[in-house]
């Protein structure tokens, strides 16, 4: 994963190692696919830890302090590990509130068009991370794959999915 971040996004190797480690820890801790977390970082900040956006959005995952005061109180959101853990906790909360539906959680995190953007980036990461180590905690199996129309040949994006994602 570190090599991919360095090669494809020009992230310095030490920073790539730090981000990769934080993504894997947060993915395991919050039962989220690492490819989704990497996709969010790509869409939100292009791996710039000091990125600033609308509404005071800060850091790699563009956490909005005014929307999550209790969760971010006293934290340096420009520090990659803090930002990734905080952003992952926020996403996990949205996913949990949506009954485990990651697509709905992503919609809450970033809006309507956000799901497609993150999905497209996540697919690129999946294709390049096939051999990435996955912790046992991040490999919880999902139920029979179906999409919103009941099509059983489309795998869902489920909390606990390893690296696989297909959002429609």
């Amino acid at each position: 994963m570190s090599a991919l971040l360095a090669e494809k996004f020009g992230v310095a190797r030490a920073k790539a190692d730090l981000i990769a480690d934080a993504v894997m820890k947060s993915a395991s801790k919050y039962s989220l696919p690492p490819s989704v977390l990497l996709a969010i970082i790509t869409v939100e900040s292009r791996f710039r830890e000091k990125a600033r956006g609308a509404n005071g959005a800060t850091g790699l995952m563009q956490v909005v302090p005014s929307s999550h005061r209790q969760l971010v109180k006293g934290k340096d959101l420009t520090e990659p590990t803090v930002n990734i853990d905080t952003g992952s906790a926020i996403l996990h909360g949205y996913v949990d509130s949506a009954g485990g539906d990651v697509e709905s959680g992503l919609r809450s995190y970033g809006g309507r068009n956000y799901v497609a953007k993150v999905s497209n980036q996540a697919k690129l990461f999946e294709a390049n991370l096939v051999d990435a180590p996955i912790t046992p905690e991040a490999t919880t199996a999902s139920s029979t794959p179906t999409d919103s129309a009941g099509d059983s040949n489309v795998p869902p994006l489920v909390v606990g999915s390893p690296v696989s994602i297909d959002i429609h």
Side-chain angles (χ1 to χ4, degrees):
M1 184 183 302
S2 297
L4 176 68
L5 299 181
E7 181 183 321
K8 299 258 186 204
F9 296 95
V11 178
R13 189 55 189 239
K15 183 174 150 187
D17 290 343
L18 179 72
I19 291 170
D21 184 55
V23 163
M24 292 308 290
K25 283 180 181 174
S26 290
S28 177
K29 180 178 179 180
Y30 298 107
S31 298
L32 296 166
S35 60
V36 170
L37 299 181
L38 289 168
I40 290 170
I41 293 168
T42 303
V43 168
E44 293 290 353
S45 68
R46 299 288 298 171
F47 295 92
R48 295 181 329 236
E49 70 266 18
K50 298 198 186 301
R52 296 279 181 183
N55 301 323
T58 304
L60 293 170
M61 292 184 73
Q62 290 291 279
V63 174
V64 180
S66 62
S67 297
H68 307 283
R69 284 190 174 102
Q70 292 297 340
L71 190 58
V72 304
K73 189 175 183 177
K75 293 182 179 178
D76 178 2
L77 295 175
T78 63
E79 202 287 309
T81 57
V82 170
N83 189 277
I84 292 168
D85 184 71
T86 304
S88 297
I90 292 165
L91 178 60
H92 174 74
Y94 290 145
V95 170
D96 195 44
S97 292
D101 182 353
V102 177
E103 185 174 333
S104 292
L106 284 170
R107 211 173 294 113
S108 295
Y109 194 94
R112 282 184 168 228
N113 298 325
Y114 192 71
V115 175
K117 289 178 187 176
V118 170
S119 176
N120 290 335
Q121 284 297 321
K123 288 175 188 175
L124 295 173
F125 280 111
E126 285 177 28
N128 288 289
L129 295 175
V130 175
D131 296 322
I134 299 172
T135 60
E137 296 87 0
T139 58
T140 305
S142 66
S143 60
T144 304
T146 59
D147 67 8
S148 59
D151 185 356
S152 63
N153 65 359
V154 178
L157 182 56
V158 177
V159 173
S161 294
V163 184
S164 185
I165 158 178
D166 189 11
I167 303 173
H168 294 278

